[in-house]
Every structure is written in C-alpha cells, then in structure tokens.
Amino acid sequence: MTPFQHDLLEWYRAHRRALPWRAERDPYRILLSEVLLQQTRVGQAVPYYRRFLERFPDLRALAGAQLEEVLHAWQGAGYYARARNLHKLAQAVAAQPRPDLPASYARLRELPGLGPYTAAAVASIAFGEPVAAVDGNVRRVISRLMAWENPTLAQLQARADQLLSAEHPGDWNQAVMELGATVCTPRRPACPACPVARWCQGKGAPECYPAPKARRQKAVTAVAVVLRGARGVLLEPRRGRVLGGLWGVPMAEGEALGPLLERLAADHGTPIAPPEPVGTVRHAFSHRKLEVRVYHSAWEGPGHDPASKPLSQLDRKILRQAQAL
DNA sequence: AAATCGTGGGG
DNA sequence: TCCCCAAGATT
C-alpha cells in the first residue's frame, strides 16, 4: 500500500459519516443507496433509503410490485427514471435462473440504470472488485490533485484506477468520495484538514480545478387547472419522459387556458365551468424555470384522491395552491 | 454527443 | 430571492 493510500484510508476510517448503508453487506441495499445517491446529496437520500427498504426489503419484493407502488415510494426523490429502471432491473434479475444481483462490474453495467459509476460502486463496495468509481467528488478530487482544468472522463478513470487500493476497493472509493463531500468541496475546500494535501498540485488555487461547467435554465410558463368536486380531484397519468409514470394536474405550456379546457372537455365529454385563478406556482427543474398559473373550478365527474397517487413536487405545490392537498 | 431528467440545501 | 449543484444515466 502506498503512503497516499494509507493516509487517505486511515482518514476515512476515522472520519467517515455513519450512514445507514455503510453498516450493510446486502448487495441490494448497497445498490439502492447508490441509485438514490445519483445526483442527490446524502442527507436527502437517507430518508428515502429507509422508506424504500421498509416497503421493498429485497429484490424479490421489488420485482413483484407494481410500478406505481415503486414510484410512490420514490415520490419526492426526483429523477424518476431511476425508480423505473430499478423496477426493471429487479424484474430482469428475478427472471433469471439464479435471481441474485450479478457480482461483477461488467454484468452489473448491463442492467438498466447502472452506468459506469454505479456499476463500479456496487462492484467494489458490495463485491470487493477492484474498479474505481468516478463520480463528481472523484472528478473534483483528482482534478485538484493533478491540477487539471478540463479532464476527460477517460483521463479521470485512468488516474482513478491507478490510485485505487486493490486491497480495499470499496473503502477506497468511498474514501475519495467522502473526502470530496466533506473536505475537498466545490467551494471553500478545507485544505488544512486534508489528509493528502502533501500530494496535491492544486492546493494553491483549488477552486480553479476542475473548471466549472456551464448551465442554463430556460424560463417556461404554463397553466394548470385543478378540477375538484365531491368525487375527487381530476388527475391524469403523465406520459413521456418528464415525470413519466407519475400522476398530475392537467397542465399545458403557454399562458392560454382555452386549449387546455377544450381538451379536457373533449376527453371527458363534459363542459367545464369557467375557472378562477388561484395564484402562481414557481418550480425549477434542472434546465427549466417553470412559472405555472393555477386555476380551479368545480368538477362533478369522477376524480382521485391526490394522496393515493404518486405525484411530483410540482403537482403537490399546485394542489396546495388550490387547497386540494 | 449534447441535452435532458427533480429536488432541496446552502451561499 | 437567486444561483449553484449534488455518490449520473440515457438517448
């Protein structure tokens, strides 16, 4: 073991946060934690991890569930494709002669929703395979160690594989990520507290590495109608990639309410009483700033209980605005 | 291969 | 209030 590896692993063992999945050996639980952690902070993932396991304690339970139940457990966690893929994954594995998670990076990588990072994380943490997991933390830590401004994924992966402790790949991967999450942070990194600062070429100007990526959010306006009556609130299943599989309030892009009302009247064969505005809801997605003008009106047709359907946070905000949740 | 997918904490 | 962006994957 190199001094570098020794110092970081010792630091990790002394300073790591006590996270629920760190006490687990069950590969399914490791997998769930890694999928939940995709683009998600630890603090936000923990309650979902607990709730999800309570509802789906193993792969079999998950495979046997309806997608809508799975999405309900995922409700609020965002990036719902993760839940759809996890459900698919469980069914694919359950359909095999030996219904267990595959134990190698290569075969994990073939499963839906498992990309290079997650397959490497599960292979190393759950199965001890020496593969480096490269996430945003690792990218930042290595970029600073090397003083790289714009490394490619291939460069990062190659360097990460070199640095990897083959004896303790699971702890090693988590150690690098833990360092990035708690010490080598995007802003105001705590270099004096860093266990491997003596090897770092970027510590003079850590925030220069890696160069920040450009993002832009486009502003979009929309209208939504909350139709509500004695038989419940009118909710529609959402199709397509955005919030697919969840339910939601009837909504349309733009400012015009007319076309939306016409569609609803046609879909349900019922004219709709002129809606009243009840306010505006603002909600930011990754690449959109959404401003939704919310209306409400009476509805005598069949409806739903919003609590019984998986809903996005956007729809929950809209329903709250109309006092229907 | 660039664009897209949610949400919430923190500066 | 606004902007950043987090244990990425998919198409």
Side-chain angles (χ1 to χ4, degrees):
Chain A
M1 180 171 324
T2 67
F4 176 81
Q5 290 172 333
H6 174 268
D7 287 357
L8 184 53
L9 280 173
E10 282 305 303
W11 171 86
Y12 174 65
R13 283 163 187 156
H15 292 89
R16 66 178 177 185
R17 294 165 290 179
L19 305 177
W21 46 85
R22 289 195 168 147
E24 298 289 348
R25 300 301 309 164
D26 179 3
Y28 166 70
R29 297 184 173 223
I30 306 293
L31 169 66
L32 173 63
S33 72
E34 290 302 338
V35 173
L36 266 170
L37 286 167
Q38 290 170 4
Q39 294 289 284
T40 304
R41 291 190 208 308
V42 164
Q44 197 186 339
V46 168
Y48 288 97
Y49 174 82
R50 297 214 160 95
R51 191 210 301 180
F52 199 92
L53 278 182
E54 203 168 311
R55 181 64 191 79
F56 307 109
D58 52 41
L59 217 45
R60 250 178 69 92
L62 184 56
Q66 296 294 317
L67 175 58
E68 199 165 304
E69 302 175 72
V70 179
L71 287 166
H72 213 290
W74 205 270
Q75 172 175 285
Y79 282 135
Y80 297 95
R82 296 182 296 172
R84 299 195 296 267
N85 285 143
L86 201 52
H87 186 231
K88 264 194 239 166
L89 179 157
Q91 296 192 326
V93 171
Q96 310 234 337
R98 248 177 65 86
D100 295 315
L101 268 183
S104 71
Y105 171 84
R107 288 172 52 218
L108 286 164
R109 182 68 185 79
E110 298 168 1
L111 295 170
L114 301 198
Y117 165 75
T118 311
V122 174
S124 61
I125 299 170
F127 300 113
E129 183 173 340
V131 286
V134 179
D135 76 329
N137 289 305
V138 179
R139 168 177 137 86
R140 188 172 54 255
V141 168
I142 292 184
S143 295
R144 288 175 178 169
L145 276 171
M146 307 304 299
W148 286 345
E149 287 186 26
N150 290 295
T152 66
L153 179 58
Q155 290 174 298
L156 289 166
Q157 184 73 52
R159 179 63 61 174
D161 283 329
Q162 281 182 347
L163 297 176
L164 178 74
S165 162
E167 297 87 356
H168 307 283
D171 276 357
W172 176 261
N173 282 329
Q174 293 186 80
V176 184
M177 293 190 280
E178 191 82 350
L179 186 71
T182 63
V183 173
C184 193
T185 50
R187 286 168 301 192
R188 305 184 46 170
C191 296
C194 180
V196 292
R198 43 191 274 233
W199 290 281
C200 184
Q201 302 182 42
K203 66 184 166 191
E207 286 163 297
C208 295
Y209 316 103
K213 20 183 167 175
R215 299 191 184 202
R216 59 176 179 284
Q217 283 190 328
K218 131 176 147 185
V220 176
T221 62
V223 291
V225 189
V226 177
L227 297 174
R228 180 188 182 192
R231 301 167 67 189
V233 179
L234 180 63
L235 298 174
E236 302 179 313
R238 292 205 182 287
R239 299 288 180 193
R241 287 194 318 174
V242 183
L243 307 178
L246 281 75
W247 290 66
V249 175
M251 204 179 304
E253 280 198 15
E255 314 227 355
L257 189 56
L260 177 59
L261 294 179
E262 286 167 25
R263 175 181 70 78
L264 291 170
D267 284 356
H268 299 92
T270 319
I272 295 163
E276 295 172 16
V278 295
T280 299
V281 163
R282 286 172 231 284
H283 190 79
F285 287 166
S286 305
H287 291 78
R288 285 182 215 182
K289 280 189 297 189
L290 199 55
E291 185 173 312
V292 186
R293 305 193 197 292
V294 183
Y295 295 82
H296 96 297
S297 184
W299 177 250
E300 299 314 323
H304 304 89
D305 171 10
S308 72
K309 298 294 181 192
L311 299 170
S312 70
Q313 295 304 84
L314 169 61
D315 285 286
R316 296 172 64 81
K317 276 191 200 173
I318 291 169
L319 287 166
R320 246 178 272 133
Q321 184 77 41
Q323 301 184 342
L325 186 66

